[in-house]
Amino acid sequence: MLTHVLREHNLNKILLSYLGLWPFQNELARSLLPISYLVLQMTCYPLVIIMLYDHWENSRLVFECCSQIVLLTTFVAKLTNDFWNHDKIRQLCEAMEKHWSTFTSEFETRVLKDYSLISRKFTILYSIIMFSMIAIFLMVPLTPILLDIIRPLNESRPRFFAVSIEWRIDKDKYFVPIFCYNMSIIVTGTIIMVGIDTMHVTCTVHACSLFSIISQQLEKVISELGIDKLSEQVTYQEYVICLRKYQLALEFVDVLNSMYRTVALIMLLMTGAIISLVGVRIVYVLNQLEEVMRFGLVIIGMLMQLLILCYSGQKLMDESQNVFYRAYAAKWYKFSPRLKSLLIITLYRSFIPCGLTAGNIFSLSMATYATVVRTGISYFTTFLSLKD
């Protein structure tokens, strides 16, 4: 039983259960729900491609189609990655439960609780922000209908959809079913983003708590080193226990990184593409407030996802580096030979910070975030010069 995990991260369990990605739910749900979401998202690809084919001469619609393909690819990649790596999600959850049983002192439990509270607050806040943005995004196409009711004109105002796709049918006649289909695509995509992103951040924050505990305990063990033999023996045993816990933290991060590194690389590429493509699309509709709001929310949402991904990776690097800094500050000349050998091992391993990567190519950090945004803006200016 995942007693501690369910107590601290029950909201993450609920969000993943809606996607069929919670590793301990019914096996039928774990198979049908993700496949249903994948099929629903992928049905949008042919419609967007048809629209791209029909309006190839219209650069405005070409940019819009490309941006929709990028968003769909993001949703599909995230869901496919977690569906394919369901065993690793189980492994991460079981490891988190094991950590709560291993780090049992009052100090360790307090740190674990503090960090789990941070992840819980983030999950709630992120969910509220994303679903609020999507609610606004979906309300924009309903504005003409509401205005027709509140302030009717001699003729109905033109209607549009949150996601423009080509159906080759009368869109006014079939407005309701098309709108429901668009809404299902957007809502399921948002659930995918929120559920997977919050679980990723929860695991990363948990890893940060482990490194925080280890770095502080390491400093405490070293500072309490005495000069008599008995004290040295006690210190050695405590140091060994600390290193074993350090190994648990490293193994946890290895599993976490192996699970998300591919989708992290996709996120970097897709965010840069969204900034450039949707940015150009906004330029076409600067005189239409509703359209500017609609596409602006898309860019804000993608930037927010990438910021969370990179900031959590940066925080993990910082916490893991604290292990090196505190070991480096030790008065090594007071150590016995065997303690010195352990200190050398600690310094050697912690010298390179432990963090998350995107495809084992880029580290997830704020520097990477700045690079992606700068690159996206560069391509935006290039596409802007070609839009006419």
Side-chain angles (χ1 to χ4, degrees):
M1 286 295 293
L2 302 178
T3 307
H4 299 288
V5 172
L6 292 178
R7 184 189 69 235
E8 302 294 333
H9 310 297
N10 187 56
L11 184 56
N12 297 102
K13 178 245 182 185
I14 293 173
L15 290 172
L16 289 181
S17 296
Y18 286 146
L19 296 170
L21 297 177
W22 181 248
F24 304 97
Q25 68 185 115
N26 182 273
E27 186 175 353
L28 182 62
R30 286 194 290 113
S31 300
L32 290 181
L33 286 177
I35 293 175
S36 300
Y37 283 126
L38 278 173
V39 171
L40 178 61
Q41 292 293 323
M42 295 186 72
T43 56
C44 201
Y45 275 109
L47 301 175
V48 177
I49 293 174
I50 291 173
M51 182 177 177
L52 185 63
Y53 176 80
D54 290 348
H55 303 279
W56 184 251
E57 301 298 329
N58 190 329
S59 58
R60 176 178 64 85
L61 292 178
V62 167
F63 281 112
E64 183 168 350
C65 290
C66 292
S67 64
Q68 290 177 17
I69 291 174
V70 169
L71 283 173
L72 285 171
T73 303
T74 302
F75 298 153
V76 171
K78 286 192 172 188
L79 185 57
T80 303
N81 179 74
D82 274 45
F83 179 64
W84 184 262
N85 293 291
H86 65 276
D87 290 337
K88 291 184 179 180
I89 300 178
R90 175 187 290 269
Q91 190 176 347
L92 289 172
C93 292
E94 291 175 345
M96 291 168 69
E97 183 68 22
K98 179 183 177 181
H99 296 158
W100 278 93
S101 302
T102 304
F103 295 73
T104 54
S105 69
E106 181 181 352
F107 161 73
E108 293 171 338
T109 303
R110 186 177 69 253
V111 174
L112 287 174
K113 282 187 172 293
D114 289 342
Y115 276 83
S116 66
L117 180 60
I118 292 174
S119 64
R120 191 183 312 126
K121 288 181 177 179
F122 166 78
T123 300
I124 295 173
L125 181 62
Y126 184 64
S127 301
I128 292 174
I129 292 174
M130 293 302 295
F131 284 116
S132 298
M133 291 173 60
I134 290 304
I136 298 172
F137 189 80
L138 291 173
M139 285 299 296
V140 171
L142 296 178
T143 303
I145 300 177
L146 296 176
L147 289 176
D148 285 341
I149 297 174
I150 299 172
R151 298 178 60 185
L153 301 176
N154 293 332
E155 58 181 13
S156 298
R157 292 175 173 84
R159 299 179 180 183
F160 59 92
F161 299 96
V163 178
S164 299
I165 48 182
E166 184 57 61
W167 289 89
R168 292 182 176 177
I169 58 176
D170 189 344
K171 295 181 180 179
D172 291 330
K173 181 179 180 181
Y174 298 98
F175 179 82
V176 174
I178 295 176
F179 178 80
C180 291
Y181 175 80
N182 282 358
M183 184 173 66
S184 64
I185 291 290
I186 296 169
V187 171
T188 54
T190 306
I191 296 174
I192 291 170
M193 288 192 301
V194 172
I196 294 175
D197 289 349
T198 52
M199 188 60 188
H200 178 266
V201 172
T202 295
C203 293
T204 307
V205 171
H206 179 78
C208 290
S209 69
L210 301 183
F211 286 116
S212 178
I213 291 172
I214 292 163
S215 62
Q216 294 182 60
Q217 284 189 333
L218 190 62
E219 183 180 43
K220 180 181 178 183
V221 168
I222 292 173
S223 63
E224 293 179 352
L225 179 63
I227 58 174
D228 56 75
K229 185 175 181 180
L230 180 62
S231 178
E232 192 275 342
Q233 177 65 23
V234 172
T235 302
Y236 180 81
Q237 294 299 328
E238 291 181 351
Y239 201 123
V240 170
I241 293 173
C242 195
L243 287 184
R244 287 174 180 170
K245 292 179 179 179
Y246 185 42
Q247 183 62 33
L248 291 176
L250 294 176
E251 291 172 356
F252 182 82
V253 174
D254 285 342
V255 176
L256 181 62
N257 185 48
S258 65
M259 178 177 174
Y260 288 106
R261 61 190 173 195
T262 301
V263 75
L265 179 60
I266 294 174
M267 274 298 300
L268 295 183
L269 298 175
M270 296 299 103
T271 302
I274 282 293
I275 293 173
S276 56
L277 294 173
V278 179
V280 174
R281 183 65 179 86
I282 290 177
V283 172
Y284 279 103
V285 292
L286 286 177
N287 59 336
Q288 303 175 34
L289 180 59
E290 296 86 355
E291 292 289 283
V292 172
M293 288 177 56
R294 187 161 65 96
F295 292 110
L297 288 173
V298 173
I299 293 182
I300 293 172
M302 291 296 290
L303 287 175
M304 185 183 300
Q305 286 188 76
L306 183 61
L307 176 62
I308 291 167
L309 196 68
C310 292
Y311 180 78
S312 59
Q314 181 69 58
K315 184 66 176 176
L316 180 60
M317 290 176 59
D318 295 341
E319 291 290 354
S320 66
Q321 278 186 316
N322 285 337
V323 177
F324 173 80
Y325 293 144
R326 301 196 180 195
Y328 185 78
K331 298 179 180 179
W332 57 268
Y333 48 85
K334 294 184 178 180
F335 287 11
S336 64
R338 61 178 183 170
L339 269 177
K340 288 180 181 178
S341 64
L342 290 183
L343 182 63
I344 292 173
I345 293 173
T346 306
L347 292 172
Y348 181 79
R349 177 58 189 87
S350 60
F351 177 74
I352 299 176
C354 184
L356 304 177
T357 62
N360 284 338
I361 301 174
F362 309 103
S363 62
L364 294 180
S365 62
M366 294 308 296
T368 302
Y369 176 79
T371 300
V372 171
V373 174
R374 185 167 58 248
T375 303
I377 294 175
S378 298
Y379 279 103
F380 162 71
T381 56
T382 302
F383 289 146
L384 195 60
S385 64
L386 301 174
K387 78 180 184 69
D388 295 327

